Amino acid sequence: MDTTREWAIRKDRDDPLRRFRERFYIPEGCVYMDGNSLGLASRDAEACILRVLEEWKTLGIHGWLDAKPSWFTFPEHAGKLMAPLIGAKAEEVVLAASTTANMHVLVATFYRPEGTRKKILADELNFPSDLYALSSQIALRGGNTKENLILARSSDGHTLDEDEIIRLMDDSVALVLLPSVLYRSGQLLDMERLTRAAHDRGIPVGFDCSHSVGSVPHRFDAWGTDFAFFCSYKHLNGGPGAPAFLYVNERHFGTAPGLAGWFGFRKERQFDMALEFDPQPTAGAWQLGTPHMMSAAAVEGSLRMFDEAGIDSIRRKSLELTTYFMDLIDETLSRSPYDYSYATPRDEARRGGHVAVEHPREALRICEALKARGVVPDFRPERVIRIAPVALYSTFEDVWRVAQALKEIIDLREYERFGKGRKAVS
Ligand SMILES: *Cc1c(COP(=O)(O)O)cnc(C)c1O
């Protein structure tokens, strides 16, 4: 294993994806390692936003049908671009609302508490919004969280054990809802195995893939996953608050959405304004209202780049970047006086696109010191510094620089210059 800067520079020179970096706006003087929280702007996304703006200026209301692609069917159009990234058919995925809103729509559909089968199986490491949403869905059905929300526990505070999750799939469980990649540690769950285990026990299963889509390939159709949802502003670089996506396996087409709205209506008759809901025969049925066109446009531009690069090449480079970073930690940074470690599984099949670096005492202040040096990570309490080198725009030399910064911050005691308070957005 070669961890030198020269090796990194050579890797960058030979990188088959290197042409994409110059299509992104990389903030001046910055080593951007936060693409798992907010991906960077690209010229491609910008061009699509400007196109929609121009359409609005020149077409007015006619943009709904005359824009190219038409705004009216834009969510389905974006779904077609998304499908190859998740191993789905075009009609199984659609751009819609936000992650949390899509989760409500899908859980309202697939959570059917009946008889002694009333529980939802989730986990204690999921993003809190998901757990808030599940609790409220249980309450809406007259249940209570204490009894009906089962959380798979983590034995080390970072990772989940699939065997343990499967053990909890008993006949009191009506729905399994799990993350694909854990937002803190970066562990990638075995979605195929979990889907199979749930189905063997007659339980529908859905995944929140906000932290995996765009960096990890998915095979929802081959796995038979019932449903999934994910945001587009993290690895997908769709911009702050960009509309999200939802996936529904085609065997559920025709199932009535648990929450309905007029954009889920059959397209050809939506403007009949009929009083009775007649859903689209696709995942489009789970949309609620009018697409947010200005921000949806950015997603289109970004998805075209994924299509051009191919998700398998992106995954390959992403793993090389994170492996290199872990090697650098193992080699120097894990020793005294540095004392860094990582909570992310080393096994490639078990990790997503970021590395959760830990420092036992000073993670928060080290994070501030990194930012002062132009490195952009993020911090998750109590002691996780997330580092996400992104295949489309990060370099191996960036990764080397981050490791070097982590080292010098300790050598020079730079973290001591910062306070211990945390900002509202960390
Ligand atoms: C980012 C993220 C969310 C965010 O939900 P929004 O509705 O987009 O605010 C939800 N769940 C997970 C797992 C996430 O990573």
Side-chain angles (χ1 to χ4, degrees):
M1 148 190 96
D2 188 344
T3 55
T4 60
R5 184 179 202 172
E6 291 64 38
W7 179 86
I9 292 169
R10 271 203 311 280
K11 276 299 280 184
D12 289 329
R13 208 185 46 215
D14 300 337
D15 174 12
L17 297 178
R18 63 182 274 188
R19 70 183 185 282
F20 288 97
R21 179 176 166 89
E22 61 199 37
R23 285 156 69 172
F24 283 88
Y25 290 101
I26 298 174
E28 189 75 32
C30 166
V31 178
Y32 197 77
M33 289 287 148
D34 207 8
N36 60 330
S37 221
L38 180 65
L40 289 179
S42 62
R43 291 175 211 287
D44 299 60
E46 179 182 51
C48 287
I49 295 173
L50 293 175
R51 185 197 72 221
V52 172
L53 181 62
E54 196 56 31
E55 287 168 342
W56 181 25
K57 282 155 68 177
T58 54
L59 298 173
I61 184 101
H62 299 304
W64 286 106
L65 290 179
D66 296 345
K68 291 196 173 41
S70 89
W71 304 339
F72 187 52
T73 53
F74 192 92
E76 286 78 8
H77 171 73
K80 196 187 299 172
L81 290 172
M82 171 52 64
L85 268 67
I86 56 171
K89 298 193 179 72
E91 59 274 20
E92 290 174 312
V93 54
V94 70
L95 172 131
S98 71
T99 312
T100 308
N102 288 340
M103 176 172 179
H104 275 295
V105 167
L106 292 166
V107 172
T109 306
F110 289 95
Y111 175 47
R112 299 188 195 108
E114 268 166 21
T116 53
R117 234 186 229 283
K118 288 204 171 74
K119 296 181 181 169
I120 298 180
L121 172 58
D123 68 279
E124 66 170 350
L125 298 182
N126 203 345
F127 196 79
S129 192
D130 296 34
L131 300 181
Y132 308 154
L134 289 178
S135 290
S136 65
Q137 286 286 337
I138 288 170
L140 276 173
R141 307 298 179 92
N144 73 68
T145 304
K146 258 207 184 86
E147 251 171 60
N148 294 331
L149 183 62
I150 322 169
L151 299 183
R153 302 286 167 190
S154 165
S155 58
D156 59 6
H158 304 304
T159 56
L160 295 169
D161 175 3
E162 283 92 347
D163 288 330
E164 169 65 11
I165 298 173
I166 292 169
R167 202 183 56 73
L168 294 169
M169 294 178 185
D170 62 24
D171 54 16
S172 69
V173 174
L175 176 70
V176 176
L177 194 129
L178 295 164
S180 49
V181 166
L182 303 188
Y183 77 99
R184 231 185 317 227
S185 70
Q187 179 191 8
L188 171 63
L189 292 179
D190 187 340
M191 288 180 270
E192 179 175 14
R193 181 174 169 222
L194 291 164
T195 300
R196 201 180 324 118
H199 288 175
D200 285 348
R201 293 156 181 79
I203 312 170
V205 55
F207 292 101
D208 183 338
C209 297
S210 295
H211 270 278
S212 57
V213 174
S215 81
V216 176
H218 300 63
R219 306 272 177 260
F220 289 146
D221 278 359
W223 302 336
T225 307
D226 294 281
F227 66 94
F229 51 93
F230 42 93
C231 75
S232 22
Y233 50 77
K234 293 171 182 158
H235 289 282
L236 290 173
N237 314 315
F245 284 88
L246 62 83
Y247 161 89
V248 177
N249 191 289
E250 64 181 350
R251 69 177 177 280
H252 298 299
F253 291 176
T255 301
L259 297 172
W262 79 310
F263 259 75
F265 203 95
R266 274 181 197 275
K267 291 275 94 168
E268 61 282 9
R269 294 201 298 107
Q270 183 178 334
F271 272 79
D272 289 1
M273 306 291 187
L275 295 188
E276 198 177 322
F277 183 58
D278 183 9
Q280 288 191 53
T282 64
W286 280 267
Q287 292 172 85
L288 293 178
T290 309
H292 311 161
M293 277 312 303
M294 297 308 298
S295 46
V299 178
E300 179 195 340
S302 184
L303 286 182
R304 290 194 184 287
M305 275 194 282
F306 281 87
D307 183 46
E308 198 182 319
I311 189 65
D312 292 322
S313 312
I314 288 172
R315 174 63 167 164
R316 197 172 316 121
K317 179 175 169 191
S318 164
L319 283 171
E320 285 182 340
L321 287 164
T322 49
T323 300
Y324 178 47
F325 186 49
M326 290 168 140
D327 286 346
L328 286 163
I329 295 174
D330 290 346
E331 188 184 57
T332 315
L333 297 177
S334 57
R335 302 213 206 105
S336 171
Y338 307 111
D339 299 334
Y340 292 102
S341 57
Y342 46 83
T344 310
R346 184 77 214 207
D347 177 0
E348 292 194 347
R350 296 186 64 228
R351 65 185 148 91
H354 72 269
V355 177
V357 178
E358 292 205 307
H359 191 271
R361 297 170 298 277
E362 293 293 350
L364 177 64
R365 296 203 292 173
I366 291 168
C367 209
E368 292 305 310
L370 281 172
K371 288 184 202 163
R373 282 171 163 260
V375 176
V376 184
D378 65 17
F379 172 75
R380 291 291 175 266
E382 295 298 322
R383 44 178 184 279
V384 171
I385 302 168
R386 296 191 307 179
I387 299 290
V390 171
L392 287 180
Y393 54 77
S394 299
T395 63
F396 288 86
E397 197 181 6
D398 283 343
V399 171
W400 182 87
R401 285 208 181 96
V402 174
Q404 192 65 17
L406 286 169
K407 178 173 178 297
E408 289 175 12
I409 285 166
I410 302 286
D411 287 338
L412 306 171
R413 306 178 78 85
E414 271 176 26
Y415 59 89
E416 289 179 356
R417 284 196 258 143
F418 299 88
K420 294 197 170 184
R422 184 154 54 91
K423 295 197 190 120
V425 175
S426 61

